[in-house]
């Protein structure tokens, strides 16, 4: 019988940790990010999600464990190196210029130019056409790419950032709480385009504190608490109720319930 060779993860963390002086912010965290899958990292404030993002994005170097990119052990030294290795991170603040048009934000820092010498200038036509086409490829119908990006809804801005990362060749897309400040409808819009990125073959890391959003789209689930990993599951081996229970504290909630029942 022919055995299928195991797939090499786009990004793999094995026992990764990070200290800031005497403070251990992250310890013993392991996860895998595969092409065409969404790995959800869940945890409340202070769980270690931000530190994990910074390690994957190249902002901070881990000081314990192993980080591999496509099977190669590495230490990322900068966000530029992470981008060069195909890892794009979309932070909560999105790093957009609100008064600039959508197309300018789409190419911000990577503007194509035309002409030679002193006649060299921004290729505005190409940027407009490319922005419109790339948004449509992700299923985002935004007729007016000349409008200031600050006039878009929070969900639309998140979707533009996702399409931008896909266009510039990301293999791994890290999304930092993309639905945290959004209502139900806008959250649904963003999650739709998160799954579109998965269908395009990207490996997605979705950082969230919302188990319902995670379970709607996730293939793998990593739960963090106070810098340590307290759960690592595939979709097949955990239900939404159990994921929510673990996220909410599990046995700690049971202990609290018993305490409240005994209270006079």
């Amino acid at each position: 019988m022919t055995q299928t060779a195991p797939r090499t993860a786009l990004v793999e963390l094995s026992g990764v940790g990070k200290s800031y002086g005497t403070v251990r912010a992250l310890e013993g965290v392991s996860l895998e990010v595969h092409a065409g899958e969404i790995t959800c990292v869940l945890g409340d404030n202070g769980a270690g999600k931000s530190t994990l993002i910074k390690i994957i994005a190249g902002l901070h170097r881990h000081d314990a464990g192993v980080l591999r990119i496509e099977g190669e052990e590495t230490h990322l030294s900068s966000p530029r190196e992470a981008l060069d290795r195909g890892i794009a991170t979309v932070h909560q603040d999105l790093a957009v210029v609100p008064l600039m048009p959508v197309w300018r934000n789409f190419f911000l820092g990577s503007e194509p130019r035309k002409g030679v010498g002193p006649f060299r200038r921004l290729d505005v036509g190409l940027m407009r056409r490319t922005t419109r086409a790339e948004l449509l490829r992700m299923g985002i119908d935004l007729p007016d790419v000349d409008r200031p990006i600050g006039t878009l809804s929070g969900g639309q801005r998140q979707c533009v950032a996702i399409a931008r990362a896909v266009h510039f060749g990301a293999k791994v897309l890290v999304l930092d709480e993309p639905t945290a400040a959004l209502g139900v409808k806008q959250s649904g819009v963003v999650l739709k385009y998160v799954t579109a990125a998965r269908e395009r073959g990207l490996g997605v890391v979705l950082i969230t504190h919302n188990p319902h959003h995670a379970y709607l789209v996730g293939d793998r689930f990593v739960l963090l608490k106070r810098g340590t990993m307290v759960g690592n599951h595939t979709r097949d081996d955990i239900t939404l109720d159990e994921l929510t229970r673990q996220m909410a504290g599990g046995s700690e909630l049971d202990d609290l319930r018993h305490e409240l029942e005994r209270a006079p």
Side-chain angles (χ1 to χ4, degrees):
M1 185 173 68
T2 303
Q3 290 187 341
T4 303
R7 293 185 299 160
T8 300
L10 294 174
V11 172
E12 179 186 1
L13 277 66
S14 180
V16 162
K18 175 66 180 176
S19 294
Y20 300 99
T22 59
V23 178
R24 195 71 177 159
L26 208 64
E27 184 172 8
V29 174
S30 300
L31 63 81
E32 294 182 0
V33 183
H34 290 271
E37 287 188 0
I38 297 172
T39 298
C40 298
V41 179
L42 298 102
D44 282 325
N45 293 336
K49 304 191 302 297
S50 294
T51 302
L52 182 65
I53 291 171
K54 289 171 182 174
I55 290 171
I56 298 175
L59 282 163
H60 291 177
R61 290 168 66 98
H62 60 287
D63 51 30
V66 176
L67 166 64
R68 296 185 181 90
I69 298 177
E70 296 186 276
E72 178 186 347
E73 184 174 341
T74 187
H75 278 79
L76 294 172
S77 59
S78 69
R80 171 49 60 186
E81 183 182 357
L83 278 170
D84 291 343
R85 300 291 296 270
I87 301 172
T89 302
V90 178
H91 297 281
Q92 274 184 278
D93 59 13
L94 295 180
V96 297
V97 182
L99 295 179
M100 282 187 176
V102 173
W103 61 264
R104 188 67 190 271
N105 276 279
F106 192 92
F107 280 93
L108 197 61
S110 303
E111 295 88 349
R113 297 176 182 271
K114 63 181 179 180
V116 294
F119 302 103
R120 213 168 147 69
R121 62 195 184 279
L122 294 178
D123 194 340
V124 174
L126 175 62
M127 286 190 278
R128 283 195 178 109
R129 292 192 303 272
T130 302
T131 300
R132 174 88 173 113
E134 287 301 311
L135 292 175
L136 280 173
R137 286 182 67 189
M138 289 290 292
I140 305 166
D141 188 8
L142 192 66
D144 184 10
V145 296
D146 283 303
R147 64 189 292 189
I149 199 168
T151 65
L152 302 183
S153 68
Q156 287 174 317
R157 291 196 297 271
Q158 286 281 354
C159 296
V160 171
I162 292 169
R164 182 185 192 279
V166 173
H167 171 70
F168 283 101
K171 298 178 183 177
V172 175
L173 181 61
V174 183
L175 299 168
D176 178 15
E177 298 274 11
T179 62
L182 304 180
V184 174
K185 184 175 181 180
Q186 287 296 316
S187 294
V189 170
V190 172
L191 293 175
K192 174 184 174 182
Y193 296 119
V194 171
T195 59
R198 174 177 60 190
E199 297 308 313
R200 292 281 296 272
L202 276 71
V204 180
V205 181
L206 176 63
I207 311 294
T208 182
H209 64 271
N210 190 316
H212 295 273
H213 290 173
Y215 204 78
L216 277 172
V217 299
D219 300 291
R220 300 169 184 265
F221 308 95
V222 172
L223 290 100
L224 300 181
K225 181 179 179 181
R226 297 172 189 164
T228 62
M229 189 171 69
V230 294
N232 191 347
H233 310 279
T234 64
R235 189 179 185 85
D236 292 336
D237 63 24
I238 194 168
T239 64
L240 173 58
D241 287 345
E242 180 58 22
L243 184 67
T244 304
R245 180 179 178 277
Q246 291 190 21
M247 174 70 188
S251 59
E252 291 182 7
L253 277 182
D254 292 338
D255 292 342
L256 176 61
R257 186 179 300 110
H258 293 318
E259 288 290 331
L260 292 173
E261 288 171 353
R262 288 200 297 269

